[in-house]
């Protein structure tokens, strides 16, 4: 059996006061040959982006960062963003003393409020894991047309959050779950499923095939969402955005 040691993440940590997107800076580092484990952290992003090209508002007070990984080319990529979601959810729980849940594929929620989002981008020879955590931001300064109402760690915990501690916990949890994903540990799917926010509920999925409605039945072994459609039969969804049928 091949050993998969837990990697060191956060060597180096590249800190910037402001950047368009930390994912873009991490891409540049990847193209320049920087090795696995480098992390870019920005106090503020001017062009932060979310999944499907959405804008990710990134004022001071949040943790906006991107991890540079160099996974095996033949790895099961579909589960990587789910593994990172579990790492982020555990980070949120430890820092805010809550029990967060995950909405497929990788939105981390406290109750019905989104506290963190993840954007995984593949570049030649590397994967960039962009993580945005609303640590202690002004929630009133966010756009009102958000798909899901936002919350913050500070609001949930009722106290301020120390960003350096948050980053340390995040890197520790990401290293652990990245190693689990690398050795194809079924704990990744199990860890994700234990936090599944939508299993058994009626959801809408907005994806490349348009809008689908059905009851979420959890995830397949490769991380695809299983959706039982109204007419019967289960569909496998590999890309899309989930909204609950009532509210958020
Ligand atoms: C989403 O929920 O749509 C994903 C949001 C990901 C935001 C993070 S913040 C750090 C990194 N840089 C970006 O531009 N995006 C990700």
């Amino acid at each position: 059996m091949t050993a998969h040691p837990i990697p060191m993440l956060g060597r180096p940590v590249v800190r910037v006061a402001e950047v368009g997107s930390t994912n873009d800076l991490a891409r540049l580092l990847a193209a320049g040959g920087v090795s696995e484990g480098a992390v870019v952290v920005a106090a503020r992003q001017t062009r932060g982006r979310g999944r499907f090209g959405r804008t990710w508002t990134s004022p001071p007070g949040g943790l906006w960062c991107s991890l540079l990984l160099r996974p095996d080319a033949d790895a099961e990529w579909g589960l990587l963003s789910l593994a990172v979601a579990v790492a982020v959810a555990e980070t949120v729980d430890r820092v805010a003393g809550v029990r967060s849940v995950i909405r497929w594929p990788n939105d981390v929620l406290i109750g019905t409020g989104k506290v963190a989002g993840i954007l995984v981008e593949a570049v030649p020879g590397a994967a960039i894991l962009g993580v945005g955590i609303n640590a202690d931001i002004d929630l009133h300064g966010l756009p009102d047309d958000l798909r899901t109402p936002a919350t913050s760690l500070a609001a949930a915990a009722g106290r301020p959050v120390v960003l350096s501690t948050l980053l340390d916990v995040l890197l520790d949890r990401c290293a652990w779950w990245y190693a689990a994903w690398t050795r194809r540990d079924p704990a990744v799917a199990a860890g994700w499923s234990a936090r599944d926010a939508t299993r058994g509920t009626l959801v809408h999925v907005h994806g490349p095939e348009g809008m689908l409605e059905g009851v979420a039945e959890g995830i397949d072994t490769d991380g695809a969402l299983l959706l039982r459609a109204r007419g019967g039969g289960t569909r496998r969804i590999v890309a899309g955005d989930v909204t609950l049928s009532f509210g958020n």
Side-chain angles (χ1 to χ4, degrees), residues 165-194:
T165 307
L166 180 61
L167 178 63
D168 287 347
V169 177
L170 177 69
L171 294 179
D172 172 78
R173 292 296 76 209
C174 281
W176 199 92
W177 284 102
Y178 177 50
W181 173 79
T182 303
R183 63 176 182 263
R184 294 177 163 75
D185 192 330
V188 172
W192 191 96
S193 298

PDB file of all heavy atoms in Angstrom, residues 165-194:
ATOM      1  N   THR A 165      -5.683  32.628  13.428  1.00  0.00           N
ATOM      2  CA  THR A 165      -6.093  31.333  13.995  1.00  0.00           C
ATOM      3  C   THR A 165      -6.969  30.587  13.006  1.00  0.00           C
ATOM      4  O   THR A 165      -6.822  29.373  12.807  1.00  0.00           O
ATOM      5  CB  THR A 165      -6.893  31.560  15.308  1.00  0.00           C
ATOM      6  OG1 THR A 165      -6.118  32.380  16.163  1.00  0.00           O
ATOM      7  CG2 THR A 165      -7.236  30.252  15.990  1.00  0.00           C
ATOM      8  N   LEU A 166      -7.883  31.315  12.392  1.00  0.00           N
ATOM      9  CA  LEU A 166      -8.777  30.702  11.404  1.00  0.00           C
ATOM     10  C   LEU A 166      -7.967  30.070  10.273  1.00  0.00           C
ATOM     11  O   LEU A 166      -8.237  28.925   9.861  1.00  0.00           O
ATOM     12  CB  LEU A 166      -9.738  31.775  10.867  1.00  0.00           C
ATOM     13  CG  LEU A 166     -10.759  31.334   9.831  1.00  0.00           C
ATOM     14  CD1 LEU A 166     -11.695  30.272  10.393  1.00  0.00           C
ATOM     15  CD2 LEU A 166     -11.565  32.541   9.334  1.00  0.00           C
ATOM     16  N   LEU A 167      -6.947  30.789   9.786  1.00  0.00           N
ATOM     17  CA  LEU A 167      -6.117  30.239   8.706  1.00  0.00           C
ATOM     18  C   LEU A 167      -5.366  28.999   9.174  1.00  0.00           C
ATOM     19  O   LEU A 167      -5.306  27.997   8.452  1.00  0.00           O
ATOM     20  CB  LEU A 167      -5.120  31.299   8.205  1.00  0.00           C
ATOM     21  CG  LEU A 167      -4.177  30.813   7.099  1.00  0.00           C
ATOM     22  CD1 LEU A 167      -4.949  30.431   5.834  1.00  0.00           C
ATOM     23  CD2 LEU A 167      -3.116  31.867   6.777  1.00  0.00           C
ATOM     24  N   ASP A 168      -4.824  29.028  10.386  1.00  0.00           N
ATOM     25  CA  ASP A 168      -4.091  27.859  10.899  1.00  0.00           C
ATOM     26  C   ASP A 168      -4.998  26.625  10.950  1.00  0.00           C
ATOM     27  O   ASP A 168      -4.603  25.530  10.551  1.00  0.00           O
ATOM     28  CB  ASP A 168      -3.560  28.130  12.319  1.00  0.00           C
ATOM     29  CG  ASP A 168      -2.395  29.099  12.311  1.00  0.00           C
ATOM     30  OD1 ASP A 168      -1.850  29.360  11.231  1.00  0.00           O
ATOM     31  OD2 ASP A 168      -2.052  29.611  13.391  1.00  0.00           O
ATOM     32  N   VAL A 169      -6.208  26.811  11.454  1.00  0.00           N
ATOM     33  CA  VAL A 169      -7.135  25.670  11.550  1.00  0.00           C
ATOM     34  C   VAL A 169      -7.510  25.200  10.143  1.00  0.00           C
ATOM     35  O   VAL A 169      -7.542  23.992   9.858  1.00  0.00           O
ATOM     36  CB  VAL A 169      -8.400  26.050  12.366  1.00  0.00           C
ATOM     37  CG1 VAL A 169      -9.377  24.883  12.406  1.00  0.00           C
ATOM     38  CG2 VAL A 169      -8.033  26.484  13.775  1.00  0.00           C
ATOM     39  N   LEU A 170      -7.755  26.134   9.258  1.00  0.00           N
ATOM     40  CA  LEU A 170      -8.127  25.765   7.883  1.00  0.00           C
ATOM     41  C   LEU A 170      -7.020  24.947   7.218  1.00  0.00           C
ATOM     42  O   LEU A 170      -7.296  23.913   6.585  1.00  0.00           O
ATOM     43  CB  LEU A 170      -8.420  27.030   7.063  1.00  0.00           C
ATOM     44  CG  LEU A 170      -8.742  26.768   5.598  1.00  0.00           C
ATOM     45  CD1 LEU A 170     -10.096  26.079   5.450  1.00  0.00           C
ATOM     46  CD2 LEU A 170      -8.736  28.069   4.790  1.00  0.00           C
ATOM     47  N   LEU A 171      -5.778  25.382   7.361  1.00  0.00           N
ATOM     48  CA  LEU A 171      -4.671  24.664   6.710  1.00  0.00           C
ATOM     49  C   LEU A 171      -4.512  23.265   7.301  1.00  0.00           C
ATOM     50  O   LEU A 171      -4.264  22.295   6.575  1.00  0.00           O
ATOM     51  CB  LEU A 171      -3.370  25.461   6.835  1.00  0.00           C
ATOM     52  CG  LEU A 171      -3.361  26.800   6.079  1.00  0.00           C
ATOM     53  CD1 LEU A 171      -2.044  27.526   6.295  1.00  0.00           C
ATOM     54  CD2 LEU A 171      -3.627  26.591   4.585  1.00  0.00           C
ATOM     55  N   ASP A 172      -4.690  23.168   8.615  1.00  0.00           N
ATOM     56  CA  ASP A 172      -4.602  21.860   9.268  1.00  0.00           C
ATOM     57  C   ASP A 172      -5.692  20.920   8.741  1.00  0.00           C
ATOM     58  O   ASP A 172      -5.443  19.762   8.383  1.00  0.00           O
ATOM     59  CB  ASP A 172      -4.755  22.059  10.787  1.00  0.00           C
ATOM     60  CG  ASP A 172      -4.869  20.733  11.514  1.00  0.00           C
ATOM     61  OD1 ASP A 172      -3.825  20.096  11.702  1.00  0.00           O
ATOM     62  OD2 ASP A 172      -5.989  20.330  11.875  1.00  0.00           O
ATOM     63  N   ARG A 173      -6.917  21.415   8.686  1.00  0.00           N
ATOM     64  CA  ARG A 173      -8.036  20.568   8.238  1.00  0.00           C
ATOM     65  C   ARG A 173      -7.925  20.242   6.740  1.00  0.00           C
ATOM     66  O   ARG A 173      -8.244  19.134   6.304  1.00  0.00           O
ATOM     67  CB  ARG A 173      -9.387  21.268   8.525  1.00  0.00           C
ATOM     68  CG  ARG A 173      -9.753  21.407  10.001  1.00  0.00           C
ATOM     69  CD  ARG A 173      -9.950  20.055  10.672  1.00  0.00           C
ATOM     70  NE  ARG A 173      -8.720  19.379  10.966  1.00  0.00           N
ATOM     71  CZ  ARG A 173      -8.561  18.053  11.022  1.00  0.00           C
ATOM     72  NH1 ARG A 173      -9.572  17.255  10.808  1.00  0.00           N
ATOM     73  NH2 ARG A 173      -7.407  17.504  11.278  1.00  0.00           N
ATOM     74  N   CYS A 174      -7.480  21.232   5.943  1.00  0.00           N
ATOM     75  CA  CYS A 174      -7.328  20.970   4.497  1.00  0.00           C
ATOM     76  C   CYS A 174      -6.252  19.914   4.273  1.00  0.00           C
ATOM     77  O   CYS A 174      -6.406  19.034   3.413  1.00  0.00           O
ATOM     78  CB  CYS A 174      -6.976  22.252   3.742  1.00  0.00           C
ATOM     79  SG  CYS A 174      -8.392  23.314   3.451  1.00  0.00           S
ATOM     80  N   ALA A 175      -5.156  19.985   5.027  1.00  0.00           N
ATOM     81  CA  ALA A 175      -4.083  18.992   4.863  1.00  0.00           C
ATOM     82  C   ALA A 175      -4.621  17.598   5.172  1.00  0.00           C
ATOM     83  O   ALA A 175      -4.359  16.632   4.444  1.00  0.00           O
ATOM     84  CB  ALA A 175      -2.907  19.346   5.770  1.00  0.00           C
ATOM     85  N   TRP A 176      -5.402  17.487   6.234  1.00  0.00           N
ATOM     86  CA  TRP A 176      -5.923  16.176   6.639  1.00  0.00           C
ATOM     87  C   TRP A 176      -6.874  15.615   5.589  1.00  0.00           C
ATOM     88  O   TRP A 176      -6.760  14.457   5.166  1.00  0.00           O
ATOM     89  CB  TRP A 176      -6.634  16.303   7.998  1.00  0.00           C
ATOM     90  CG  TRP A 176      -6.770  14.977   8.678  1.00  0.00           C
ATOM     91  CD1 TRP A 176      -5.896  14.433   9.567  1.00  0.00           C
ATOM     92  CD2 TRP A 176      -7.824  14.016   8.474  1.00  0.00           C
ATOM     93  NE1 TRP A 176      -6.346  13.187   9.945  1.00  0.00           N
ATOM     94  CE2 TRP A 176      -7.516  12.906   9.295  1.00  0.00           C
ATOM     95  CE3 TRP A 176      -8.980  13.984   7.705  1.00  0.00           C
ATOM     96  CZ2 TRP A 176      -8.335  11.780   9.357  1.00  0.00           C
ATOM     97  CZ3 TRP A 176      -9.793  12.861   7.750  1.00  0.00           C
ATOM     98  CH2 TRP A 176      -9.471  11.779   8.575  1.00  0.00           C
ATOM     99  N   TRP A 177      -7.800  16.442   5.129  1.00  0.00           N
ATOM    100  CA  TRP A 177      -8.797  15.941   4.171  1.00  0.00           C
ATOM    101  C   TRP A 177      -8.218  15.772   2.774  1.00  0.00           C
ATOM    102  O   TRP A 177      -8.668  14.924   2.003  1.00  0.00           O
ATOM    103  CB  TRP A 177     -10.039  16.853   4.174  1.00  0.00           C
ATOM    104  CG  TRP A 177     -10.863  16.585   5.394  1.00  0.00           C
ATOM    105  CD1 TRP A 177     -10.928  17.327   6.539  1.00  0.00           C
ATOM    106  CD2 TRP A 177     -11.716  15.433   5.622  1.00  0.00           C
ATOM    107  NE1 TRP A 177     -11.761  16.713   7.455  1.00  0.00           N
ATOM    108  CE2 TRP A 177     -12.257  15.569   6.922  1.00  0.00           C
ATOM    109  CE3 TRP A 177     -12.063  14.323   4.861  1.00  0.00           C
ATOM    110  CZ2 TRP A 177     -13.131  14.620   7.468  1.00  0.00           C
ATOM    111  CZ3 TRP A 177     -12.927  13.383   5.395  1.00  0.00           C
ATOM    112  CH2 TRP A 177     -13.451  13.538   6.689  1.00  0.00           C
ATOM    113  N   TYR A 178      -7.191  16.555   2.443  1.00  0.00           N
ATOM    114  CA  TYR A 178      -6.504  16.367   1.157  1.00  0.00           C
ATOM    115  C   TYR A 178      -5.784  15.008   1.164  1.00  0.00           C
ATOM    116  O   TYR A 178      -5.825  14.261   0.180  1.00  0.00           O
ATOM    117  CB  TYR A 178      -5.535  17.519   0.927  1.00  0.00           C
ATOM    118  CG  TYR A 178      -4.704  17.406  -0.323  1.00  0.00           C
ATOM    119  CD1 TYR A 178      -5.290  17.134  -1.566  1.00  0.00           C
ATOM    120  CD2 TYR A 178      -3.318  17.586  -0.282  1.00  0.00           C
ATOM    121  CE1 TYR A 178      -4.516  17.049  -2.719  1.00  0.00           C
ATOM    122  CE2 TYR A 178      -2.545  17.504  -1.426  1.00  0.00           C
ATOM    123  CZ  TYR A 178      -3.153  17.233  -2.641  1.00  0.00           C
ATOM    124  OH  TYR A 178      -2.380  17.141  -3.778  1.00  0.00           O
ATOM    125  N   ALA A 179      -5.159  14.681   2.281  1.00  0.00           N
ATOM    126  CA  ALA A 179      -4.495  13.374   2.385  1.00  0.00           C
ATOM    127  C   ALA A 179      -5.525  12.245   2.291  1.00  0.00           C
ATOM    128  O   ALA A 179      -5.291  11.230   1.621  1.00  0.00           O
ATOM    129  CB  ALA A 179      -3.714  13.288   3.698  1.00  0.00           C
ATOM    130  N   ALA A 180      -6.668  12.434   2.936  1.00  0.00           N
ATOM    131  CA  ALA A 180      -7.731  11.403   2.866  1.00  0.00           C
ATOM    132  C   ALA A 180      -8.201  11.233   1.429  1.00  0.00           C
ATOM    133  O   ALA A 180      -8.389  10.113   0.928  1.00  0.00           O
ATOM    134  CB  ALA A 180      -8.897  11.798   3.773  1.00  0.00           C
ATOM    135  N   TRP A 181      -8.372  12.344   0.734  1.00  0.00           N
ATOM    136  CA  TRP A 181      -8.808  12.289  -0.671  1.00  0.00           C
ATOM    137  C   TRP A 181      -7.745  11.603  -1.534  1.00  0.00           C
ATOM    138  O   TRP A 181      -8.056  10.781  -2.389  1.00  0.00           O
ATOM    139  CB  TRP A 181      -9.061  13.723  -1.162  1.00  0.00           C
ATOM    140  CG  TRP A 181      -9.345  13.816  -2.627  1.00  0.00           C
ATOM    141  CD1 TRP A 181     -10.524  13.541  -3.260  1.00  0.00           C
ATOM    142  CD2 TRP A 181      -8.415  14.205  -3.653  1.00  0.00           C
ATOM    143  NE1 TRP A 181     -10.381  13.747  -4.615  1.00  0.00           N
ATOM    144  CE2 TRP A 181      -9.106  14.155  -4.876  1.00  0.00           C
ATOM    145  CE3 TRP A 181      -7.082  14.608  -3.655  1.00  0.00           C
ATOM    146  CZ2 TRP A 181      -8.512  14.480  -6.079  1.00  0.00           C
ATOM    147  CZ3 TRP A 181      -6.477  14.925  -4.858  1.00  0.00           C
ATOM    148  CH2 TRP A 181      -7.190  14.856  -6.057  1.00  0.00           C
ATOM    149  N   THR A 182      -6.471  11.911  -1.268  1.00  0.00           N
ATOM    150  CA  THR A 182      -5.375  11.342  -2.063  1.00  0.00           C
ATOM    151  C   THR A 182      -5.336   9.824  -1.933  1.00  0.00           C
ATOM    152  O   THR A 182      -5.063   9.116  -2.903  1.00  0.00           O
ATOM    153  CB  THR A 182      -4.028  11.942  -1.602  1.00  0.00           C
ATOM    154  OG1 THR A 182      -4.112  13.355  -1.713  1.00  0.00           O
ATOM    155  CG2 THR A 182      -2.876  11.448  -2.447  1.00  0.00           C
ATOM    156  N   ARG A 183      -5.623   9.300  -0.721  1.00  0.00           N
ATOM    157  CA  ARG A 183      -5.571   7.842  -0.558  1.00  0.00           C
ATOM    158  C   ARG A 183      -6.928   7.200  -0.845  1.00  0.00           C
ATOM    159  O   ARG A 183      -7.148   6.047  -0.533  1.00  0.00           O
ATOM    160  CB  ARG A 183      -5.055   7.470   0.832  1.00  0.00           C
ATOM    161  CG  ARG A 183      -5.896   7.909   1.991  1.00  0.00           C
ATOM    162  CD  ARG A 183      -5.383   7.440   3.350  1.00  0.00           C
ATOM    163  NE  ARG A 183      -6.309   7.882   4.365  1.00  0.00           N
ATOM    164  CZ  ARG A 183      -6.172   8.979   5.113  1.00  0.00           C
ATOM    165  NH1 ARG A 183      -5.108   9.731   4.976  1.00  0.00           N
ATOM    166  NH2 ARG A 183      -7.097   9.310   5.983  1.00  0.00           N
ATOM    167  N   ARG A 184      -7.837   7.997  -1.434  1.00  0.00           N
ATOM    168  CA  ARG A 184      -9.183   7.523  -1.819  1.00  0.00           C
ATOM    169  C   ARG A 184      -9.940   6.951  -0.617  1.00  0.00           C
ATOM    170  O   ARG A 184     -10.590   5.906  -0.705  1.00  0.00           O
ATOM    171  CB  ARG A 184      -9.108   6.480  -2.931  1.00  0.00           C
ATOM    172  CG  ARG A 184      -8.582   7.051  -4.236  1.00  0.00           C
ATOM    173  CD  ARG A 184      -8.442   5.975  -5.288  1.00  0.00           C
ATOM    174  NE  ARG A 184      -8.327   6.523  -6.636  1.00  0.00           N
ATOM    175  CZ  ARG A 184      -7.245   7.105  -7.133  1.00  0.00           C
ATOM    176  NH1 ARG A 184      -6.178   7.260  -6.385  1.00  0.00           N
ATOM    177  NH2 ARG A 184      -7.239   7.559  -8.366  1.00  0.00           N
ATOM    178  N   ASP A 185      -9.845   7.627   0.475  1.00  0.00           N
ATOM    179  CA  ASP A 185     -10.469   7.181   1.719  1.00  0.00           C
ATOM    180  C   ASP A 185     -11.977   7.423   1.644  1.00  0.00           C
ATOM    181  O   ASP A 185     -12.415   8.552   1.366  1.00  0.00           O
ATOM    182  CB  ASP A 185      -9.848   7.994   2.875  1.00  0.00           C
ATOM    183  CG  ASP A 185     -10.205   7.430   4.233  1.00  0.00           C
ATOM    184  OD1 ASP A 185     -11.290   6.853   4.365  1.00  0.00           O
ATOM    185  OD2 ASP A 185      -9.386   7.600   5.156  1.00  0.00           O
ATOM    186  N   PRO A 186     -12.792   6.384   1.901  1.00  0.00           N
ATOM    187  CA  PRO A 186     -14.252   6.589   1.872  1.00  0.00           C
ATOM    188  C   PRO A 186     -14.726   7.565   2.935  1.00  0.00           C
ATOM    189  O   PRO A 186     -15.884   8.001   2.922  1.00  0.00           O
ATOM    190  CB  PRO A 186     -14.829   5.195   2.115  1.00  0.00           C
ATOM    191  CG  PRO A 186     -13.691   4.293   2.434  1.00  0.00           C
ATOM    192  CD  PRO A 186     -12.402   4.981   2.123  1.00  0.00           C
ATOM    193  N   ALA A 187     -13.824   7.952   3.851  1.00  0.00           N
ATOM    194  CA  ALA A 187     -14.188   8.952   4.866  1.00  0.00           C
ATOM    195  C   ALA A 187     -14.591  10.283   4.221  1.00  0.00           C
ATOM    196  O   ALA A 187     -15.356  11.047   4.814  1.00  0.00           O
ATOM    197  CB  ALA A 187     -13.019   9.178   5.823  1.00  0.00           C
ATOM    198  N   VAL A 188     -14.083  10.550   3.004  1.00  0.00           N
ATOM    199  CA  VAL A 188     -14.429  11.829   2.360  1.00  0.00           C
ATOM    200  C   VAL A 188     -15.932  11.873   2.074  1.00  0.00           C
ATOM    201  O   VAL A 188     -16.634  12.799   2.491  1.00  0.00           O
ATOM    202  CB  VAL A 188     -13.611  12.040   1.063  1.00  0.00           C
ATOM    203  CG1 VAL A 188     -14.120  13.257   0.303  1.00  0.00           C
ATOM    204  CG2 VAL A 188     -12.128  12.197   1.397  1.00  0.00           C
ATOM    205  N   ALA A 189     -16.433  10.849   1.389  1.00  0.00           N
ATOM    206  CA  ALA A 189     -17.874  10.824   1.084  1.00  0.00           C
ATOM    207  C   ALA A 189     -18.689  10.719   2.368  1.00  0.00           C
ATOM    208  O   ALA A 189     -19.747  11.357   2.507  1.00  0.00           O
ATOM    209  CB  ALA A 189     -18.194   9.659   0.149  1.00  0.00           C
ATOM    210  N   ALA A 190     -18.184   9.941   3.335  1.00  0.00           N
ATOM    211  CA  ALA A 190     -18.924   9.789   4.594  1.00  0.00           C
ATOM    212  C   ALA A 190     -18.949  11.102   5.372  1.00  0.00           C
ATOM    213  O   ALA A 190     -19.995  11.491   5.921  1.00  0.00           O
ATOM    214  CB  ALA A 190     -18.286   8.685   5.436  1.00  0.00           C
ATOM    215  N   GLY A 191     -17.806  11.791   5.415  1.00  0.00           N
ATOM    216  CA  GLY A 191     -17.732  13.070   6.133  1.00  0.00           C
ATOM    217  C   GLY A 191     -18.648  14.104   5.506  1.00  0.00           C
ATOM    218  O   GLY A 191     -19.304  14.889   6.190  1.00  0.00           O
ATOM    219  N   TRP A 192     -18.687  14.088   4.173  1.00  0.00           N
ATOM    220  CA  TRP A 192     -19.567  15.024   3.468  1.00  0.00           C
ATOM    221  C   TRP A 192     -21.032  14.667   3.757  1.00  0.00           C
ATOM    222  O   TRP A 192     -21.838  15.549   4.088  1.00  0.00           O
ATOM    223  CB  TRP A 192     -19.279  14.977   1.954  1.00  0.00           C
ATOM    224  CG  TRP A 192     -19.945  16.088   1.211  1.00  0.00           C
ATOM    225  CD1 TRP A 192     -19.388  17.284   0.846  1.00  0.00           C
ATOM    226  CD2 TRP A 192     -21.304  16.127   0.771  1.00  0.00           C
ATOM    227  NE1 TRP A 192     -20.326  18.061   0.216  1.00  0.00           N
ATOM    228  CE2 TRP A 192     -21.499  17.371   0.153  1.00  0.00           C
ATOM    229  CE3 TRP A 192     -22.370  15.237   0.846  1.00  0.00           C
ATOM    230  CZ2 TRP A 192     -22.729  17.755  -0.393  1.00  0.00           C
ATOM    231  CZ3 TRP A 192     -23.603  15.617   0.308  1.00  0.00           C
ATOM    232  CH2 TRP A 192     -23.767  16.851  -0.316  1.00  0.00           C
ATOM    233  N   SER A 193     -21.359  13.389   3.652  1.00  0.00           N
ATOM    234  CA  SER A 193     -22.760  12.952   3.817  1.00  0.00           C
ATOM    235  C   SER A 193     -23.281  13.250   5.222  1.00  0.00           C
ATOM    236  O   SER A 193     -24.465  13.534   5.405  1.00  0.00           O
ATOM    237  CB  SER A 193     -22.886  11.459   3.524  1.00  0.00           C
ATOM    238  OG  SER A 193     -22.512  11.212   2.184  1.00  0.00           O
ATOM    239  N   ALA A 194     -22.390  13.200   6.203  1.00  0.00           N
ATOM    240  CA  ALA A 194     -22.812  13.471   7.590  1.00  0.00           C
ATOM    241  C   ALA A 194     -23.237  14.931   7.762  1.00  0.00           C
ATOM    242  O   ALA A 194     -23.889  15.263   8.747  1.00  0.00           O
ATOM    243  CB  ALA A 194     -21.678  13.141   8.547  1.00  0.00           C
TER     244      ALA A 194
END
